[in-house]
mmCIF file of all heavy atoms in Angstrom:
data_model
loop_
_atom_site.group_PDB
_atom_site.id
_atom_site.type_symbol
_atom_site.label_atom_id
_atom_site.label_comp_id
_atom_site.label_asym_id
_atom_site.label_seq_id
_atom_site.Cartn_x
_atom_site.Cartn_y
_atom_site.Cartn_z
ATOM 1 N N GLU A 131 -3.844 143.457 -40.865
ATOM 2 C CA GLU A 131 -4.226 143.627 -39.486
ATOM 3 C C GLU A 131 -3.303 142.890 -38.503
ATOM 4 O O GLU A 131 -2.962 143.425 -37.413
ATOM 5 C CB GLU A 131 -5.665 143.114 -39.288
ATOM 6 C CG GLU A 131 -6.728 144.012 -39.899
ATOM 7 C CD GLU A 131 -8.138 143.540 -39.539
ATOM 8 O OE1 GLU A 131 -8.508 143.668 -38.399
ATOM 9 O OE2 GLU A 131 -8.841 142.984 -40.418
ATOM 10 N N LEU A 132 -2.869 141.742 -38.905
ATOM 11 C CA LEU A 132 -1.974 140.905 -38.023
ATOM 12 C C LEU A 132 -0.604 141.597 -37.858
ATOM 13 O O LEU A 132 -0.028 141.628 -36.797
ATOM 14 C CB LEU A 132 -1.748 139.514 -38.614
ATOM 15 C CG LEU A 132 -3.019 138.592 -38.580
ATOM 16 C CD1 LEU A 132 -2.754 137.291 -39.295
ATOM 17 C CD2 LEU A 132 -3.476 138.334 -37.148
ATOM 18 N N LYS A 133 -0.113 142.227 -38.952
ATOM 19 C CA LYS A 133 1.105 143.004 -38.892
ATOM 20 C C LYS A 133 0.962 144.127 -37.863
ATOM 21 O O LYS A 133 1.848 144.333 -37.066
ATOM 22 C CB LYS A 133 1.545 143.518 -40.261
ATOM 23 C CG LYS A 133 2.892 144.162 -40.191
ATOM 24 C CD LYS A 133 3.378 144.755 -41.514
ATOM 25 C CE LYS A 133 4.755 145.370 -41.289
ATOM 26 N NZ LYS A 133 5.344 145.967 -42.540
ATOM 27 N N GLU A 134 -0.144 144.818 -37.925
ATOM 28 C CA GLU A 134 -0.380 145.909 -36.953
ATOM 29 C C GLU A 134 -0.418 145.425 -35.520
ATOM 30 O O GLU A 134 -0.047 146.165 -34.659
ATOM 31 C CB GLU A 134 -1.728 146.629 -37.314
ATOM 32 C CG GLU A 134 -1.549 147.732 -38.339
ATOM 33 C CD GLU A 134 -2.858 148.395 -38.739
ATOM 34 O OE1 GLU A 134 -3.696 148.577 -37.815
ATOM 35 O OE2 GLU A 134 -3.039 148.698 -39.900
ATOM 36 N N MET A 135 -0.865 144.190 -35.329
ATOM 37 C CA MET A 135 -0.908 143.615 -33.962
ATOM 38 C C MET A 135 0.475 143.153 -33.460
ATOM 39 O O MET A 135 0.538 142.679 -32.350
ATOM 40 C CB MET A 135 -1.871 142.439 -33.941
ATOM 41 C CG MET A 135 -3.307 142.805 -34.001
ATOM 42 S SD MET A 135 -4.279 141.284 -34.036
ATOM 43 C CE MET A 135 -5.879 141.982 -34.330
ATOM 44 N N GLY A 136 1.435 143.190 -34.346
ATOM 45 C CA GLY A 136 2.792 142.841 -33.929
ATOM 46 C C GLY A 136 3.320 141.543 -34.468
ATOM 47 O O GLY A 136 4.311 140.998 -33.984
ATOM 48 N N ALA A 137 2.665 140.980 -35.478
ATOM 49 C CA ALA A 137 3.124 139.723 -36.130
ATOM 50 C C ALA A 137 4.563 139.937 -36.656
ATOM 51 O O ALA A 137 4.800 140.908 -37.388
ATOM 52 C CB ALA A 137 2.233 139.288 -37.175
ATOM 53 N N ALA A 138 5.484 139.040 -36.316
ATOM 54 C CA ALA A 138 6.885 139.120 -36.847
ATOM 55 C C ALA A 138 6.974 138.221 -38.051
ATOM 56 O O ALA A 138 7.853 138.431 -38.903
ATOM 57 C CB ALA A 138 7.812 138.654 -35.774
ATOM 58 N N THR A 139 6.098 137.172 -38.139
ATOM 59 C CA THR A 139 6.025 136.383 -39.326
ATOM 60 C C THR A 139 4.562 136.130 -39.606
ATOM 61 O O THR A 139 3.725 136.236 -38.697
ATOM 62 C CB THR A 139 6.702 135.009 -39.169
ATOM 63 O OG1 THR A 139 6.082 134.195 -38.176
ATOM 64 C CG2 THR A 139 8.196 135.153 -38.780
ATOM 65 N N ILE A 140 4.286 135.676 -40.850
ATOM 66 C CA ILE A 140 2.914 135.281 -41.230
ATOM 67 C C ILE A 140 2.921 133.813 -41.601
ATOM 68 O O ILE A 140 3.815 133.355 -42.338
ATOM 69 C CB ILE A 140 2.432 136.110 -42.446
ATOM 70 C CG1 ILE A 140 2.324 137.633 -42.126
ATOM 71 C CG2 ILE A 140 1.116 135.578 -42.989
ATOM 72 C CD1 ILE A 140 1.265 138.005 -41.040
ATOM 73 N N CYS A 141 1.959 133.109 -41.080
ATOM 74 C CA CYS A 141 1.815 131.698 -41.410
ATOM 75 C C CYS A 141 0.551 131.481 -42.202
ATOM 76 O O CYS A 141 -0.539 131.982 -41.775
ATOM 77 C CB CYS A 141 1.852 130.819 -40.172
ATOM 78 S SG CYS A 141 1.452 129.062 -40.571
ATOM 79 N N ILE A 142 0.656 130.769 -43.338
ATOM 80 C CA ILE A 142 -0.586 130.317 -44.011
ATOM 81 C C ILE A 142 -0.769 128.865 -43.611
ATOM 82 O O ILE A 142 0.056 128.019 -43.920
ATOM 83 C CB ILE A 142 -0.425 130.412 -45.545
ATOM 84 C CG1 ILE A 142 -0.015 131.822 -45.956
ATOM 85 C CG2 ILE A 142 -1.683 129.952 -46.244
ATOM 86 C CD1 ILE A 142 0.474 131.932 -47.408
ATOM 87 N N LYS A 143 -1.790 128.636 -42.862
ATOM 88 C CA LYS A 143 -2.007 127.284 -42.277
ATOM 89 C C LYS A 143 -3.107 126.538 -43.099
ATOM 90 O O LYS A 143 -4.317 126.806 -42.931
ATOM 91 C CB LYS A 143 -2.464 127.469 -40.819
ATOM 92 C CG LYS A 143 -2.708 126.148 -40.064
ATOM 93 C CD LYS A 143 -3.054 126.464 -38.668
ATOM 94 C CE LYS A 143 -3.727 125.371 -37.872
ATOM 95 N NZ LYS A 143 -2.898 124.147 -37.802
ATOM 96 N N ASP A 144 -2.649 125.601 -43.937
ATOM 97 C CA ASP A 144 -3.557 124.853 -44.767
ATOM 98 C C ASP A 144 -3.764 123.496 -44.095
ATOM 99 O O ASP A 144 -3.111 122.503 -44.496
ATOM 100 C CB ASP A 144 -3.006 124.736 -46.189
ATOM 101 C CG ASP A 144 -3.758 123.813 -47.075
ATOM 102 O OD1 ASP A 144 -4.940 123.578 -46.841
ATOM 103 O OD2 ASP A 144 -3.177 123.220 -47.996
ATOM 104 N N MET A 145 -4.645 123.368 -43.140
ATOM 105 C CA MET A 145 -4.726 122.238 -42.305
ATOM 106 C C MET A 145 -5.301 121.032 -42.950
ATOM 107 O O MET A 145 -5.138 119.899 -42.501
ATOM 108 C CB MET A 145 -5.507 122.525 -40.983
ATOM 109 C CG MET A 145 -6.828 123.244 -41.177
ATOM 110 S SD MET A 145 -6.650 124.966 -41.458
ATOM 111 C CE MET A 145 -8.278 125.386 -42.067
ATOM 112 N N ALA A 146 -6.010 121.274 -44.086
ATOM 113 C CA ALA A 146 -6.645 120.102 -44.797
ATOM 114 C C ALA A 146 -5.884 119.658 -46.046
ATOM 115 O O ALA A 146 -6.245 118.737 -46.714
ATOM 116 C CB ALA A 146 -8.068 120.447 -45.148
ATOM 117 N N GLY A 147 -4.776 120.385 -46.341
ATOM 118 C CA GLY A 147 -4.005 120.006 -47.555
ATOM 119 C C GLY A 147 -4.797 120.275 -48.831
ATOM 120 O O GLY A 147 -4.606 119.565 -49.838
ATOM 121 N N ILE A 148 -5.622 121.299 -48.886
ATOM 122 C CA ILE A 148 -6.435 121.592 -50.007
ATOM 123 C C ILE A 148 -5.882 122.710 -50.904
ATOM 124 O O ILE A 148 -6.453 123.001 -51.985
ATOM 125 C CB ILE A 148 -7.915 122.009 -49.596
ATOM 126 C CG1 ILE A 148 -7.830 123.139 -48.669
ATOM 127 C CG2 ILE A 148 -8.607 120.748 -49.034
ATOM 128 C CD1 ILE A 148 -9.198 123.798 -48.359
ATOM 129 N N MET A 149 -4.786 123.271 -50.484
ATOM 130 C CA MET A 149 -4.203 124.376 -51.323
ATOM 131 C C MET A 149 -3.415 123.769 -52.522
ATOM 132 O O MET A 149 -2.487 122.978 -52.288
ATOM 133 C CB MET A 149 -3.300 125.208 -50.442
ATOM 134 C CG MET A 149 -2.642 126.349 -51.170
ATOM 135 S SD MET A 149 -1.425 127.269 -50.169
ATOM 136 C CE MET A 149 -2.534 128.416 -49.395
ATOM 137 N N GLY A 150 -3.767 124.190 -53.654
ATOM 138 C CA GLY A 150 -3.116 123.726 -54.877
ATOM 139 C C GLY A 150 -1.886 124.603 -55.222
ATOM 140 O O GLY A 150 -1.768 125.712 -54.636
ATOM 141 N N PRO A 151 -1.057 124.233 -56.113
ATOM 142 C CA PRO A 151 0.141 125.017 -56.427
ATOM 143 C C PRO A 151 -0.186 126.416 -56.959
ATOM 144 O O PRO A 151 0.483 127.383 -56.610
ATOM 145 C CB PRO A 151 0.866 124.199 -57.492
ATOM 146 C CG PRO A 151 -0.041 123.034 -57.925
ATOM 147 C CD PRO A 151 -1.070 122.928 -56.844
ATOM 148 N N LYS A 152 -1.233 126.575 -57.749
ATOM 149 C CA LYS A 152 -1.553 127.932 -58.286
ATOM 150 C C LYS A 152 -2.059 128.820 -57.146
ATOM 151 O O LYS A 152 -1.646 129.947 -57.019
ATOM 152 C CB LYS A 152 -2.581 127.783 -59.400
ATOM 153 C CG LYS A 152 -2.948 129.248 -59.941
ATOM 154 C CD LYS A 152 -3.788 129.199 -61.202
ATOM 155 C CE LYS A 152 -4.265 130.509 -61.681
ATOM 156 N NZ LYS A 152 -3.704 131.722 -61.147
ATOM 157 N N GLU A 153 -2.909 128.260 -56.325
ATOM 158 C CA GLU A 153 -3.415 129.043 -55.138
ATOM 159 C C GLU A 153 -2.266 129.491 -54.288
ATOM 160 O O GLU A 153 -2.229 130.630 -53.766
ATOM 161 C CB GLU A 153 -4.409 128.244 -54.312
ATOM 162 C CG GLU A 153 -5.685 127.938 -54.991
ATOM 163 C CD GLU A 153 -6.415 126.662 -54.463
ATOM 164 O OE1 GLU A 153 -5.702 125.712 -54.098
ATOM 165 O OE2 GLU A 153 -7.603 126.722 -54.433
ATOM 166 N N ALA A 154 -1.351 128.589 -54.020
ATOM 167 C CA ALA A 154 -0.133 128.926 -53.202
ATOM 168 C C ALA A 154 0.697 130.035 -53.789
ATOM 169 O O ALA A 154 1.042 131.022 -53.113
ATOM 170 C CB ALA A 154 0.758 127.692 -53.016
ATOM 171 N N TYR A 155 0.940 129.939 -55.126
ATOM 172 C CA TYR A 155 1.733 130.930 -55.813
ATOM 173 C C TYR A 155 1.027 132.277 -55.761
ATOM 174 O O TYR A 155 1.615 133.292 -55.404
ATOM 175 C CB TYR A 155 1.948 130.522 -57.253
ATOM 176 C CG TYR A 155 2.925 131.475 -58.011
ATOM 177 C CD1 TYR A 155 4.289 131.169 -57.959
ATOM 178 C CD2 TYR A 155 2.427 132.569 -58.649
ATOM 179 C CE1 TYR A 155 5.178 132.054 -58.592
ATOM 180 C CE2 TYR A 155 3.358 133.417 -59.341
ATOM 181 C CZ TYR A 155 4.658 133.158 -59.292
ATOM 182 O OH TYR A 155 5.555 134.008 -59.954
ATOM 183 N N ASP A 156 -0.258 132.291 -56.046
ATOM 184 C CA ASP A 156 -1.011 133.532 -56.045
ATOM 185 C C ASP A 156 -1.123 134.176 -54.675
ATOM 186 O O ASP A 156 -0.967 135.384 -54.558
ATOM 187 C CB ASP A 156 -2.426 133.365 -56.680
ATOM 188 C CG ASP A 156 -2.326 132.988 -58.168
ATOM 189 O OD1 ASP A 156 -1.239 133.151 -58.740
ATOM 190 O OD2 ASP A 156 -3.370 132.528 -58.678
ATOM 191 N N LEU A 157 -1.461 133.395 -53.679
ATOM 192 C CA LEU A 157 -1.659 133.909 -52.311
ATOM 193 C C LEU A 157 -0.319 134.420 -51.748
ATOM 194 O O LEU A 157 -0.273 135.525 -51.172
ATOM 195 C CB LEU A 157 -2.313 132.898 -51.421
ATOM 196 C CG LEU A 157 -2.660 133.360 -49.992
ATOM 197 C CD1 LEU A 157 -3.508 134.607 -50.038
ATOM 198 C CD2 LEU A 157 -3.343 132.302 -49.195
ATOM 199 N N VAL A 158 0.721 133.600 -51.871
ATOM 200 C CA VAL A 158 2.015 134.051 -51.321
ATOM 201 C C VAL A 158 2.418 135.347 -52.120
ATOM 202 O O VAL A 158 2.907 136.280 -51.422
ATOM 203 C CB VAL A 158 3.122 132.951 -51.547
ATOM 204 C CG1 VAL A 158 4.513 133.472 -51.203
ATOM 205 C CG2 VAL A 158 2.786 131.758 -50.626
ATOM 206 N N SER A 159 2.283 135.411 -53.371
ATOM 207 C CA SER A 159 2.628 136.672 -54.080
ATOM 208 C C SER A 159 1.850 137.851 -53.578
ATOM 209 O O SER A 159 2.458 138.926 -53.374
ATOM 210 C CB SER A 159 2.372 136.498 -55.624
ATOM 211 O OG SER A 159 3.119 135.406 -56.137
ATOM 212 N N ALA A 160 0.562 137.645 -53.374
ATOM 213 C CA ALA A 160 -0.312 138.767 -52.961
ATOM 214 C C ALA A 160 0.123 139.235 -51.534
ATOM 215 O O ALA A 160 0.165 140.465 -51.306
ATOM 216 C CB ALA A 160 -1.760 138.304 -52.914
ATOM 217 N N ILE A 161 0.449 138.283 -50.638
ATOM 218 C CA ILE A 161 0.907 138.640 -49.278
ATOM 219 C C ILE A 161 2.287 139.360 -49.315
ATOM 220 O O ILE A 161 2.484 140.366 -48.676
ATOM 221 C CB ILE A 161 0.875 137.450 -48.344
ATOM 222 C CG1 ILE A 161 -0.530 136.937 -48.129
ATOM 223 C CG2 ILE A 161 1.524 137.840 -47.003
ATOM 224 C CD1 ILE A 161 -0.637 135.611 -47.396
ATOM 225 N N LYS A 162 3.169 138.842 -50.132
ATOM 226 C CA LYS A 162 4.468 139.440 -50.282
ATOM 227 C C LYS A 162 4.381 140.862 -50.799
ATOM 228 O O LYS A 162 5.153 141.759 -50.396
ATOM 229 C CB LYS A 162 5.374 138.624 -51.269
ATOM 230 C CG LYS A 162 5.998 137.384 -50.619
ATOM 231 C CD LYS A 162 7.220 137.776 -49.837
ATOM 232 C CE LYS A 162 7.887 136.618 -49.091
ATOM 233 N NZ LYS A 162 8.878 136.984 -48.145
ATOM 234 N N ASP A 163 3.426 141.131 -51.661
ATOM 235 C CA ASP A 163 3.245 142.497 -52.165
ATOM 236 C C ASP A 163 2.701 143.410 -51.103
ATOM 237 O O ASP A 163 2.927 144.624 -51.135
ATOM 238 C CB ASP A 163 2.266 142.472 -53.385
ATOM 239 C CG ASP A 163 2.890 141.940 -54.644
ATOM 240 O OD1 ASP A 163 4.130 141.826 -54.692
ATOM 241 O OD2 ASP A 163 2.127 141.541 -55.563
ATOM 242 N N ALA A 164 1.945 142.813 -50.132
ATOM 243 C CA ALA A 164 1.239 143.652 -49.180
ATOM 244 C C ALA A 164 2.021 143.979 -47.947
ATOM 245 O O ALA A 164 1.969 145.035 -47.387
ATOM 246 C CB ALA A 164 -0.052 142.935 -48.789
ATOM 247 N N VAL A 165 2.848 143.012 -47.467
ATOM 248 C CA VAL A 165 3.655 143.198 -46.244
ATOM 249 C C VAL A 165 5.039 142.612 -46.461
ATOM 250 O O VAL A 165 5.254 141.724 -47.157
ATOM 251 C CB VAL A 165 2.991 142.509 -44.987
ATOM 252 C CG1 VAL A 165 1.698 143.163 -44.627
ATOM 253 C CG2 VAL A 165 2.866 141.038 -45.166
ATOM 254 N N ASP A 166 6.003 143.233 -45.715
ATOM 255 C CA ASP A 166 7.407 142.811 -45.815
ATOM 256 C C ASP A 166 7.717 141.944 -44.596
ATOM 257 O O ASP A 166 8.386 142.401 -43.664
ATOM 258 C CB ASP A 166 8.313 144.028 -45.937
ATOM 259 C CG ASP A 166 9.761 143.597 -46.094
ATOM 260 O OD1 ASP A 166 9.953 142.455 -46.560
ATOM 261 O OD2 ASP A 166 10.652 144.398 -45.749
ATOM 262 N N LEU A 167 7.113 140.715 -44.557
ATOM 263 C CA LEU A 167 7.367 139.846 -43.429
ATOM 264 C C LEU A 167 7.690 138.483 -43.913
ATOM 265 O O LEU A 167 7.181 138.094 -44.966
ATOM 266 C CB LEU A 167 6.088 139.778 -42.535
ATOM 267 C CG LEU A 167 5.690 140.978 -41.699
ATOM 268 C CD1 LEU A 167 4.359 140.710 -40.993
ATOM 269 C CD2 LEU A 167 6.769 141.339 -40.645
ATOM 270 N N PRO A 168 8.520 137.660 -43.232
ATOM 271 C CA PRO A 168 8.713 136.282 -43.595
ATOM 272 C C PRO A 168 7.431 135.504 -43.619
ATOM 273 O O PRO A 168 6.594 135.695 -42.729
ATOM 274 C CB PRO A 168 9.682 135.753 -42.564
ATOM 275 C CG PRO A 168 10.265 136.921 -41.872
ATOM 276 C CD PRO A 168 9.227 138.018 -42.020
ATOM 277 N N ILE A 169 7.213 134.634 -44.637
ATOM 278 C CA ILE A 169 6.021 133.825 -44.715
ATOM 279 C C ILE A 169 6.382 132.346 -44.546
ATOM 280 O O ILE A 169 7.313 131.849 -45.174
ATOM 281 C CB ILE A 169 5.274 134.022 -46.041
ATOM 282 C CG1 ILE A 169 4.924 135.474 -46.273
ATOM 283 C CG2 ILE A 169 4.017 133.185 -46.143
ATOM 284 C CD1 ILE A 169 4.256 135.828 -47.605
ATOM 285 N N ASP A 170 5.591 131.727 -43.691
ATOM 286 C CA ASP A 170 5.707 130.297 -43.492
ATOM 287 C C ASP A 170 4.496 129.616 -44.011
ATOM 288 O O ASP A 170 3.328 130.045 -43.754
ATOM 289 C CB ASP A 170 5.813 130.085 -41.921
ATOM 290 C CG ASP A 170 5.986 128.592 -41.526
ATOM 291 O OD1 ASP A 170 5.517 127.717 -42.242
ATOM 292 O OD2 ASP A 170 6.623 128.400 -40.459
ATOM 293 N N LEU A 171 4.668 128.572 -44.829
ATOM 294 C CA LEU A 171 3.496 127.845 -45.371
ATOM 295 C C LEU A 171 3.450 126.492 -44.687
ATOM 296 O O LEU A 171 4.424 125.731 -44.594
ATOM 297 C CB LEU A 171 3.646 127.679 -46.867
ATOM 298 C CG LEU A 171 2.463 126.863 -47.556
ATOM 299 C CD1 LEU A 171 1.103 127.477 -47.251
ATOM 300 C CD2 LEU A 171 2.622 126.811 -49.082
ATOM 301 N N HIS A 172 2.234 126.124 -44.172
ATOM 302 C CA HIS A 172 2.033 124.882 -43.531
ATOM 303 C C HIS A 172 0.939 124.158 -44.323
ATOM 304 O O HIS A 172 -0.198 124.727 -44.496
ATOM 305 C CB HIS A 172 1.533 125.147 -42.115
ATOM 306 C CG HIS A 172 1.071 123.929 -41.360
ATOM 307 N ND1 HIS A 172 1.907 123.209 -40.480
ATOM 308 C CD2 HIS A 172 -0.157 123.313 -41.313
ATOM 309 C CE1 HIS A 172 1.155 122.159 -40.009
ATOM 310 N NE2 HIS A 172 -0.054 122.205 -40.518
ATOM 311 N N THR A 173 1.204 122.908 -44.696
ATOM 312 C CA THR A 173 0.128 122.145 -45.382
ATOM 313 C C THR A 173 0.200 120.655 -44.966
ATOM 314 O O THR A 173 1.068 120.350 -44.172
ATOM 315 C CB THR A 173 0.175 122.343 -46.880
ATOM 316 O OG1 THR A 173 -1.004 121.705 -47.468
ATOM 317 C CG2 THR A 173 1.405 121.707 -47.562
#
């Protein structure tokens, strides 16, 4: 939906630092498969 709204990049904002390495790997992979946009991870 964000891509449709005009997002040029996607940010995953983990404001509490609770994302573990496996979650990061799986979520980034899933987003990469779904859209062709640069991904920024914030933790």
Side-chain angles (χ1 to χ4, degrees):
E131 287 186 72
L132 293 174
K133 186 181 179 180
E134 272 177 40
M135 285 179 189
T139 65
I140 295 296
C141 172
I142 305 166
K143 179 177 165 60
D144 172 25
M145 51 280 164
I148 55 169
M149 180 185 272
K152 180 170 173 17
E153 290 157 325
Y155 187 88
D156 292 347
L157 183 55
V158 170
S159 301
I161 294 172
K162 279 281 177 191
D163 286 343
V165 296
D166 184 22
L167 290 176
I169 302 177
D170 182 328
L171 179 57
H172 170 95
T173 188

